[in-house]
Amino acid sequence: MKLLYADASPFARKVRAVAYELGLQDRIALDFIKAVPGAEPNRELGAANPLRKIPTLLLDDGRSIYDSTVICEYLDGLVPEIALIPSDGAQRAEVMTEHALANGLMDAAVGLRYETAVRPEDARWPSWIADHWDRIDTGLDWFEANSGRLAEPINLAQIALGCLMGYLDFRFAEKGWRSNRPKIAAWGETMLSRPSFTETVPAG
Amino acid sequence: MKLLYADASPFARKVRAVAYELGLQDRIALDFIKAVPGAEPNRELGAANPLRKIPTLLLDDGRSIYDSTVICEYLDGLVPEIALIPSDGAQRAEVMTEHALANGLMDAAVGLRYETAVRPEDARWPSWIADHWDRIDTGLDWFEANSGRLAEPINLAQIALGCLMGYLDFRFAEKGWRSNRPKIAAWGETMLSRPSFTETVPAG
């Protein structure tokens, strides 16, 4: 298998962290890809994934699997002894909703990076920026208020939350997401020190 | 169950179409919600879903389920006789990748709507717009080239593709997505005439 990725992408990091947690890291070759919205289209990536997004997983038979969540579920299914996504309906919906929250906050954070560093300066929209920071704050507050959920055995939602935290540290350290959130700050210390995270730190 | 939705949202339409296909439409009350990025935050929606996105499903016990894909999977699990998402690993990854493509194109199309109708005129970015139309074209071309896949029994990827087509007709009819894509145009005729689609047409 080959993973089209970039080390700065929190979505690609989620897949890589999942691979480590499953012990699959040595079965996945990494291929660094540059994909910036609004820039010249990367047609090589587009042939594998018309959305031109990373991560995209290429199987040995040439088929592509994406997006990051579909890749994570596929990898999880390769290792029957571990379940990062529960199979039971109600429990699964709960974990996948928490995952959707962490993942959606990653999407907002990456959108903020594009808005404030990639989009031309005169085409930025302050109300959009404020709105999306507010969503990130509201979402992190939700995890702080529901931090008991983070005591569950490791799952895909927790891995996504770790990737969100790592991305905020990487791109928006000055925002100080840990302030007034002691519970998830302490949980994050432990999560980000797992090999799945220490081996996938963005180079910058 | 109560679905927080808007009839213009293709993601909410996907959930509603899935409910129809599963025969669950009468078990889901609809609650129209206004949620526009960059506008005053809808705190009521934020309490149910910190991402402040629709659709969000409220269960009778007060719990929320989101995003649209998680809701669809949850509903699919309520009706054991029908499987809109295959359970087998490889087949599931294939359908969910096709779903991720149609869903990602919906995301691009909704983003284009925001960029060209909601974002202030002087803060629009022509290269981003061109890039995302190109992704939509590339993605529709992929479905045209792989239209054999659409002969499979109805699944979540096909429903998402129908919602994408309906959204392009609704917001961007002048783009003429059917030109040079006779196969998916014919398939779309049939799909959009199913009750799950005729009962969920956006009012405009």
Side-chain angles (χ1 to χ4, degrees):
Chain A
M1 298 182 275
K2 187 161 78 171
L3 186 70
L4 310 185
Y5 89 112
D7 67 325
S9 160
F11 302 101
R13 189 181 193 183
K14 185 178 73 176
V15 169
R16 293 173 67 205
V18 160
Y20 271 95
E21 293 292 342
L22 295 168
L24 294 174
Q25 71 274 17
D26 295 336
R27 286 177 53 190
I28 301 173
L30 295 176
D31 190 0
F32 178 85
I33 290 282
K34 208 173 153 72
V36 181
E40 193 56 39
N42 182 330
R43 297 288 174 199
E44 188 195 340
L45 175 59
N49 175 354
L51 299 173
R52 295 205 287 269
K53 286 191 167 185
I54 47 168
T56 294
L57 183 70
L58 301 183
L59 301 185
D60 297 339
D61 65 8
R63 277 185 302 141
S64 305
I65 296 183
Y66 53 88
D67 56 14
S68 67
T69 308
V70 180
I71 299 172
C72 290
E73 188 188 30
Y74 176 77
L75 296 178
D76 195 32
L78 296 181
V79 183
E81 309 82 56
I82 305 178
L84 297 174
I85 305 175
S87 52
D88 167 67
Q91 206 191 344
R92 184 181 177 95
E94 191 164 31
V95 167
M96 292 311 282
T97 295
E98 289 164 12
H99 170 267
L101 176 53
N103 206 66
L105 297 175
M106 273 167 27
D107 216 22
V110 170
L112 283 160
R113 167 75 185 172
Y114 291 149
E115 182 81 20
T116 58
V118 179
R119 187 178 275 265
E121 245 179 289
D122 59 1
R124 296 174 190 173
W125 183 15
S127 309
W128 188 94
I129 294 172
D131 178 10
H132 282 75
W133 274 117
D134 186 277
R135 294 176 200 219
I136 292 176
D137 281 328
T138 310
L140 289 170
D141 289 344
W142 186 92
F143 280 110
E144 181 72 10
N146 293 276
S147 62
R149 299 278 314 146
L150 302 174
E152 299 272 313
I154 189 164
N155 61 35
L156 187 62
Q158 295 178 16
I159 292 171
L161 181 58
C163 292
L164 170 68
M165 291 170 167
Y167 189 75
L168 292 174
D169 285 341
F170 174 51
R171 292 295 195 200
F172 301 105
E174 76 286 359
K175 286 277 174 184
W177 64 265
R178 289 171 181 81
S179 313
N180 301 315
R181 297 187 187 108
K183 292 175 189 166
I184 59 170
W187 176 86
E189 273 316 290
T190 307
M191 178 57 94
L192 296 180
S193 65
R194 291 174 79 96
S196 51
F197 281 89
T198 56
E199 295 293 321
T200 56
V201 175
Chain B
M1 295 182 276
K2 187 162 80 172
L3 186 70
L4 310 185
Y5 88 113
D7 67 325
S9 161
F11 302 101
R13 189 181 193 184
K14 186 178 72 176
V15 168
R16 293 173 66 202
V18 160
Y20 271 95
E21 293 292 342
L22 294 169
L24 295 174
Q25 70 276 16
D26 295 335
R27 285 178 52 190
I28 302 174
L30 295 176
D31 191 0
F32 179 83
I33 289 282
K34 207 171 156 71
V36 180
E40 194 54 39
N42 182 331
R43 298 286 172 198
E44 190 196 338
L45 176 57
N49 175 351
L51 299 173
R52 295 204 290 268
K53 286 193 167 184
I54 48 167
T56 294
L57 183 70
L58 302 185
L59 300 186
D60 297 338
D61 65 6
R63 277 185 301 141
S64 305
I65 296 183
Y66 52 89
D67 56 14
S68 68
T69 307
V70 180
I71 300 172
C72 289
E73 188 188 29
Y74 176 77
L75 296 178
D76 196 31
L78 296 181
V79 184
E81 309 81 57
I82 305 177
L84 297 174
I85 305 173
S87 51
D88 167 67
Q91 205 190 345
R92 182 180 179 95
E94 189 163 33
V95 168
M96 291 312 281
T97 295
E98 289 164 14
H99 170 268
L101 176 53
N103 207 65
L105 297 175
M106 274 169 22
D107 216 23
V110 170
L112 283 160
R113 168 73 185 173
Y114 291 149
E115 182 81 19
T116 57
V118 179
R119 188 179 274 267
E121 243 179 290
D122 58 2
R124 296 174 189 171
W125 184 15
S127 309
W128 188 94
I129 295 172
D131 178 10
H132 283 75
W133 274 117
D134 185 277
R135 294 176 200 218
I136 292 175
D137 281 331
T138 310
L140 289 170
D141 288 346
W142 186 92
F143 280 109
E144 182 73 10
N146 293 276
S147 62
R149 298 277 315 146
L150 302 174
E152 300 272 314
I154 189 165
N155 60 35
L156 187 62
Q158 294 178 18
I159 292 171
L161 181 58
C163 292
L164 170 69
M165 291 170 166
Y167 188 75
L168 293 173
D169 285 342
F170 174 52
R171 292 296 195 199
F172 301 105
E174 76 285 359
K175 287 279 173 183
W177 64 264
R178 290 170 181 80
S179 313
N180 301 317
R181 298 187 187 107
K183 292 175 189 165
I184 58 170
W187 175 87
E189 273 315 289
T190 307
M191 179 57 95
L192 296 181
S193 65
R194 291 174 79 96
S196 52
F197 282 88
T198 57
E199 295 293 322
T200 57
V201 175

